[in-house]
Amino acid sequence: MNEMALSPFEPRRLLPRLLSLGALLGALVLALPAPAHAVRIKEVAAVQGVRNNQLTGYGLVVGLDGTGDQTTQAPFTTQSLNAMLQQMGVTVPPGTTMQLRNVAAVMVTAVLPPFAVPGQAIDVNVSSMGNAKSLRGGTLVATPLKGADGQIYALAQGNLVVGGAGASANGSKVQINHLSAGRIPEGATVEREVATPLQQGEVLSLGLNAADFDTARQVAQTINRAKGAGTAMALDGRVVRVRMPVGADERVAFLADIENLPLELARPAAKVVLNARTGSVVMNEAVTLGACAVAHGSLSVTINTTPQVSQPNPFSQGQTVVTPKSDIAITQQGGNLVQMPAGTQLADVVKALNLLGATPQDLLAILQAMKSAGALNAELEVI
């Protein structure tokens, strides 16, 4: 009996073909470039004039458990206490020496957010100005907080929250975290309102977080596509002027709409940021590298000092003298000349720099030398 020939659509032959086709489609999907990440306008720009305001004040913290300022070394604490007592009708006799240990002079800072109204509570930070050992358990006496114009915008008072602890006895001391600074959540009450330009004029200005002409153009074009031609106009690489509705409610809704509009950012300028204190090196995706050759070596100097005792002869009336003996050794490690290929992507640049085997601190000098030689296509910024 003859066996029946298999049809080309027989499942045993069709399954391998389907698996091969699926693998091919998967490879094509992986090969396609990933879509660009879109950000919102609120993440690259903000309304000019709508911002935080810094407040500062000088006050006293009382109720400390013997950890306050030493008045002999911080006389301004005593002067401040005398002035406060005089306002309360208490007069300290002249020439009185007060040894205060439960009082500390502090600097109080706060941030007044935009649209803050009288009666709103804000957080304050309290930092010691004198030699107080700890502010833990203290209470801030009513302290006016002033702005840059000298006007009082808030009044702070309350119990401090210090995120640390410490103890000392018989010359031994144990401390966890910081004790000379604390925080009072909602410790200040707003007394004066700061005017904002939100309801003033027919136009508002959007200020970009970073100056870029292409970003300013894209912000203006995106707003015009959503709200109509002529609504926004880019004045320069930092400011975009927007024509606003008349009503207050309409303005709020208008800003809420344009802040959430998606925006495609252009590729940023190539930049390498170097931190000379920590040795950190950060570079963005636009950094490219030209072909170059780099030789890197290290030079170390070691000095060992050994004390030697010179003992005089018996009955010589001499004295024993200790003389130091220093041994100096210089070690230089040779660096081979390493050819670094040109890199057009960040991964290529990282791979080429890893070939050197240099430490982050050495990499700071290497990158600066590569920039001087014209092999590093990026702006160097040292912080």
Side-chain angles (χ1 to χ4, degrees), residues 356-367:
L356 297 175
T359 63
Q361 290 288 350
D362 295 334
L363 199 57
L364 300 179
I366 294 175
L367 289 174

Side-chain angles (χ1 to χ4, degrees), residues 103-125:
V103 183
V106 295
M107 182 64 67
V108 185
T109 59
V111 176
L112 185 65
F115 311 117
V117 295
Q120 179 179 343
I122 58 176
D123 300 341
V124 297
N125 296 318

Side-chain angles (χ1 to χ4, degrees), residues 65-150:
D65 189 14
T67 60
D69 292 338
Q70 297 180 4
T71 54
T72 56
Q73 300 177 1
F76 51 85
T77 304
T78 305
Q79 296 176 4
S80 303
L81 183 61
N82 287 332
M84 184 184 67
L85 293 177
Q86 289 179 2
Q87 293 179 357
M88 296 182 177
V90 179
T91 302
V92 178
T96 303
T97 302
M98 296 186 296
Q99 297 295 331
L100 305 175
R101 301 184 59 186
N102 298 337
V103 183
V106 295
M107 182 64 67
V108 185
T109 59
V111 176
L112 185 65
F115 311 117
V117 295
Q120 179 179 343
I122 58 176
D123 300 341
V124 297
N125 296 318
V126 181
S127 303
S128 173
M129 293 182 59
N131 52 6
K133 297 179 181 179
S134 174
L135 298 181
R136 189 178 181 87
T139 300
L140 177 68
V141 183
T143 303
L145 303 180
K146 299 182 180 181
D149 56 356

Side-chain angles (χ1 to χ4, degrees), residues 68-257:
D69 292 338
Q70 297 180 4
T71 54
T72 56
Q73 300 177 1
F76 51 85
T77 304
T78 305
Q79 296 176 4
S80 303
L81 183 61
N82 287 332
M84 184 184 67
L85 293 177
Q86 289 179 2
Q87 293 179 357
M88 296 182 177
V90 179
T91 302
V92 178
T96 303
T97 302
M98 296 186 296
Q99 297 295 331
L100 305 175
R101 301 184 59 186
N102 298 337
V103 183
V106 295
M107 182 64 67
V108 185
T109 59
V111 176
L112 185 65
F115 311 117
V117 295
Q120 179 179 343
I122 58 176
D123 300 341
V124 297
N125 296 318
V126 181
S127 303
S128 173
M129 293 182 59
N131 52 6
K133 297 179 181 179
S134 174
L135 298 181
R136 189 178 181 87
T139 300
L140 177 68
V141 183
T143 303
L145 303 180
K146 299 182 180 181
D149 56 356
Q151 301 294 328
I152 298 176
Y153 286 88
L155 188 66
Q157 181 172 287
N159 298 324
L160 273 72
V161 177
V162 178
S168 60
N170 300 326
S172 300
K173 180 179 180 182
V174 176
Q175 179 174 329
I176 301 175
N177 295 335
H178 206 55
L179 299 177
S180 58
R183 187 175 179 86
I184 307 178
E186 298 184 354
T189 303
V190 178
E191 302 292 341
R192 185 191 298 266
E193 184 177 356
V194 179
T196 60
L198 186 60
Q199 307 297 338
Q200 302 174 2
E202 298 180 355
V203 295
L204 281 181
S205 297
L206 295 179
L208 302 184
N209 299 333
D212 186 82
F213 289 102
D214 185 78
T215 303
R217 181 186 62 178
Q218 292 191 38
V219 169
Q221 292 178 352
T222 302
I223 296 176
N224 289 331
R225 283 194 298 266
K227 298 298 182 179
T231 304
M233 179 181 62
L235 300 182
D236 49 35
R238 176 74 73 169
V239 180
V240 177
R241 180 170 296 175
V242 182
R243 189 174 301 276
M244 301 291 293
V246 178
D249 184 67
E250 296 177 352
R251 291 197 172 199
V252 173
F254 181 85
L255 287 176
D257 292 340

Side-chain angles (χ1 to χ4, degrees), residues 31-57:
L32 292 176
H37 176 65
V39 298
R40 295 172 298 177
I41 291 181
K42 66 166 55 178
E43 296 165 357
V44 299
V47 180
Q48 289 189 349
V50 180
R51 62 180 182 86
N52 296 328
N53 291 275
Q54 310 300 324
L55 304 179
T56 57

